[in-house]
Amino acid sequence: MTKRSYRLGDIASELGAELRGDPDTEIGGLATLQAAAPGQVAFLANPSYARFLVDTRASAVIAAPSVADQCPTNVLLLNNPYLGYARLSHWFDPAPVPQPGVHASAVVDPSAQVSESASIGPQAVVEAEAIVGDNVVVGAGCIIGARCTIGEQTVLRPRVTLAHDIVLGKRCHILSGAVIGSDGFGFANEKGAWHRIAQLGRVVLGDDVEVGANTTIDRGAIDDTVIGNGVKLDNLIQIAHNVSIGDHSAMAAMVGIAGSTRIGSHCVFGGQSGVAGHLTIGNQVHLTGMTLVSNDIPEPGVYSSGTSADTNRQWRKNAVRFRQLDAMARRLKELEKKIEG
């Protein structure tokens, strides 16, 4: 791997940062404030790490203007240091760069349309009438189902599965093990026996969507499952059939969304939170971790449910009290009536 090095002045220019220091300083990597060595850039985004700033050995630090005077080395001033770090991280990404072309072991149906600039990895399968756009990367062992469409610059890491008729927008990033377009959980019951319902819809992803490892997105029963532009899904998430998620929403690991739920834009769902089916969640709703939603949430804001961990002895006592809440509420209402009378 070729070691990359950049002038600090060039980095400042690309990031739109104000540089206080030597523009000719050579930068060859990123590191934390604590671990940085000369030749590396560190960043300060969380105030709790400010105590490490004075002793850092980094050649430069990305920081907010409010802490510039505390920095003992070159400083790149940005109002959002974390965004600066995010952008700069791609300069030093050691991931191999795939080359255009179809690997000899890949299987591509003759009716599929694959751009000459696309990269199709070892043992990947591209089925009939699929369309693979410009500069798309299809990793090893991926399966692209019949009639799928993949927008330009989208990356599928190894072992991604797209069922038939899936639409991915531009610049999407799908991590290993993700399954997009699996059948929704649809069954009709007759006399205790379950009968499978064919899932006729698609999954449609907008542009700049990220889908984490081993996340599943079910296809619609009749209408499509729709994921908006800029949505970010972490690992091990389940999105059921006919769900829609608005633009730029983000969900942490192990979130579960039941069928036919509508989620607005710019929502943030903490890990292991869950939403029941056929609900409507408005824009800018933030669910803290392990929150269970069983009713519509039309208004923006932060919502929580559940209880924090406690000793088992105390938890048992609280559980007993919880079962008594209804009876206690009824007694309280009777007392209020007597007092008012």
Side-chain angles (χ1 to χ4, degrees):
M1 181 179 66
T2 303
K3 184 174 177 59
R4 302 170 185 175
S5 179
Y6 305 95
R7 288 179 66 253
L8 187 58
D10 295 334
I11 292 175
S13 178
E14 284 294 323
L15 297 183
E18 178 188 343
L19 171 60
R20 294 185 184 177
D22 180 7
D24 292 324
T25 301
E26 288 293 320
I27 301 298
L30 283 166
T32 63
L33 286 169
Q34 308 94 299
Q40 293 180 315
V41 169
F43 66 99
L44 176 59
N46 188 329
S48 64
Y49 291 95
R51 64 186 186 277
F52 299 115
L53 183 60
V54 66
D55 294 323
T56 189
R57 298 173 62 234
S59 290
V61 176
I62 303 173
S66 59
V67 297
D69 294 339
Q70 304 172 39
C71 190
T73 184
N74 301 307
V75 61
L76 297 166
L77 298 179
L78 286 171
N79 290 326
N80 188 343
Y82 199 63
L83 177 60
Y85 153 68
R87 292 176 58 193
L88 189 57
S89 67
H90 296 282
W91 294 34
F92 301 102
D93 188 352
V97 179
Q99 298 303 307
V102 179
H103 193 275
S105 65
V107 178
V108 179
D109 189 276
S111 65
Q113 301 177 38
V114 178
S115 170
E116 292 184 359
S117 61
S119 173
I120 310 297
Q123 299 184 338
V125 175
V126 182
E127 295 183 354
E129 300 180 49
I131 299 174
V132 180
D134 294 342
N135 300 303
V136 166
V137 176
V138 177
C142 289
I143 297 176
I144 311 302
R147 301 177 299 277
C148 286
T149 299
I150 304 177
E152 62 186 54
Q153 299 183 55
T154 285
V155 175
L156 275 60
R157 294 288 184 90
R159 298 184 297 100
V160 167
T161 298
L162 304 184
H164 60 87
D165 298 298
I166 305 306
V167 178
L168 304 186
K170 302 175 183 177
R171 300 176 301 278
C172 293
H173 193 184
I174 315 299
L175 302 187
S176 294
V179 178
I180 301 178
S182 49
D183 280 359
F185 194 65
F187 299 89
N189 189 285
E190 182 185 25
K191 298 178 181 179
W194 296 101
H195 300 269
R196 183 176 175 276
I197 300 171
Q199 304 293 289
L200 308 180
R202 307 173 299 168
V203 176
V204 178
L205 270 61
D207 297 336
D208 303 299
V209 173
E210 177 131 359
V211 178
N214 295 316
T215 283
T216 55
I217 305 176
D218 292 346
R219 66 190 320 109
I222 296 178
D223 297 328
D224 297 334
T225 300
V226 179
I227 311 297
N229 295 324
V231 169
K232 309 301 181 187
L233 303 177
D234 198 1
N235 304 332
L236 296 167
I237 287 175
Q238 162 63 15
I239 307 296
H241 57 187
N242 299 108
V243 167
S244 70
I245 301 176
D247 294 349
H248 304 293
S249 289
M251 299 182 183
M254 294 186 283
V255 165
I257 310 296
S260 299
T261 286
R262 300 288 181 262
I263 296 169
S265 61
H266 299 280
C267 292
V268 178
F269 289 5
Q272 290 189 304
S273 54
V275 182
H278 303 276
L279 299 181
T280 298
I281 308 297
N283 299 329
Q284 298 180 1
V285 169
H286 187 161
L287 304 181
T288 59
M290 301 186 72
T291 296
L292 174 62
V293 179
S294 56
N295 295 291
D296 292 346
I297 301 180
E299 299 297 329
V302 180
Y303 296 82
S304 302
S305 71
T307 58
S308 300
D310 208 335
T311 63
N312 182 257
R313 182 178 181 181
Q314 188 62 44
W315 182 86
R316 285 174 177 270
K317 290 181 179 180
N318 291 338
V320 171
R321 294 287 186 262
F322 184 80
R323 291 196 296 269
Q324 296 171 344
L325 283 178
D326 183 64
M328 292 170 65
R330 292 175 186 274
R331 289 167 57 192
L332 178 60
K333 184 174 290 188
E334 291 298 322
L335 288 172
E336 288 175 341
K337 288 180 179 178
K338 289 180 180 180
I339 293 172
E340 291 171 357

